[in-house]
Amino acid sequence: MGLKPGKTTLAAVGAAALVLALTGCGEKERRGASSGDMTEIAPASPTTTGSFPAGEPVVAQFNEFEDSAAITYNQTVVPKGSNVEVLVQSQGSGTTVRLAVEGLEANRDYGAHVHVNACGAEPEQAGPHYQNRKDPKTPSVNPEYANPENEIWLDLSTDDRGNAEAESTVDWQFREGEGQSIVIHDMHTKTGEGEAGTAGDRLACVNIR
Ligand SMILES: [Cu+2]
């Protein structure tokens, strides 16, 4: 399963065992059980790390470029030292991505999506959103392509401590070498014709694979 033993709750293990017993233990249930551990991600005390194999959580603190797997471009609303954790899991032919943040600006909306390229010194270096079916037109603002079934959207609304979590499940998998980062944006993602997928300035970026 790949998650660190310290993060696995007894309750989760018990629930997983029960599911396996009841369903006859398919591969899918076992993977589902490990994704359940992500309820524990917010309170974890992260350490800065590099990239992880698929299925391992990425745990990092936002910092300046090259000092972390997670980069802040706006320290006012994504403070240096605030925490981020990401888990990407394949489930059958689909993919689930979970994102948790801790210590951002409180009671605020943020947009977040999986982008094609790795994070860079400049926010634009992460490239466009990862799309399962690529829009022939760029930038893609057509809701037929820029939507949460064809892209991975992880919009966040922080609580009064600046914490938030989001999860997205899609019925496809990333192409090799693409979908390398999650970019956090200034506002929730728009869906209308001509603006679909836009979410304002790029505030931060985390490398996910
Ligand atoms: Cu984005």
Side-chain angles (χ1 to χ4, degrees), residues 111-115 127-129 183-185 197 199 202:
H113 325 104
V114 173
H115 283 242
H129 293 177
V183 173
I184 295 178
H185 294 257
R202 300 182 182 201

Side-chain angles (χ1 to χ4, degrees), residues 27-98:
E27 179 68 12
K28 206 172 174 183
E29 282 75 19
R30 263 178 279 138
R31 289 178 178 176
S34 74
S35 75
D37 295 343
M38 279 296 284
T39 52
E40 297 298 298
I41 59 182
S45 50
T47 50
T48 299
T49 47
S51 58
F52 288 75
E56 293 279 317
V58 173
V59 182
Q61 293 187 310
F62 286 106
N63 207 325
E64 278 143 18
F65 180 61
E66 285 188 333
D67 287 339
S68 177
I71 296 115
T72 175
Y73 304 113
N74 181 331
Q75 293 186 26
T76 306
V77 289
V78 182
K80 218 164 138 173
S82 57
N83 299 316
V84 60
E85 187 161 341
V86 178
L87 183 61
V88 179
Q89 288 190 304
S90 296
Q91 302 182 60
S93 60
T95 305
T96 294
V97 182
R98 292 183 181 214

Side-chain angles (χ1 to χ4, degrees), residues 115-193:
H115 283 242
V116 171
N117 304 324
C119 308
E122 298 301 323
E124 296 310 313
Q125 287 176 259
H129 293 177
Y130 183 92
Q131 294 187 321
N132 182 46
R133 288 180 306 115
K134 284 187 187 175
D135 189 341
K137 275 193 177 168
T138 57
S140 178
V141 287
N142 178 352
E144 197 182 314
Y145 293 92
N147 66 61
E149 286 78 45
N150 193 43
E151 301 182 348
I152 292 180
W153 294 8
L154 295 156
D155 286 6
L156 300 166
S157 295
T158 55
D159 64 14
D160 54 14
R161 294 177 305 161
N163 301 348
E165 289 188 32
E167 175 184 324
S168 174
T169 298
V170 292
D171 61 5
W172 41 263
Q173 299 200 343
F174 291 112
R175 292 178 291 274
E176 191 64 36
E178 295 183 49
Q180 295 185 48
S181 63
I182 290 174
V183 173
I184 295 178
H185 294 257
D186 192 35
M187 60 188 73
H188 276 173
T189 309
K190 296 175 182 175
T191 54
E193 189 70 45

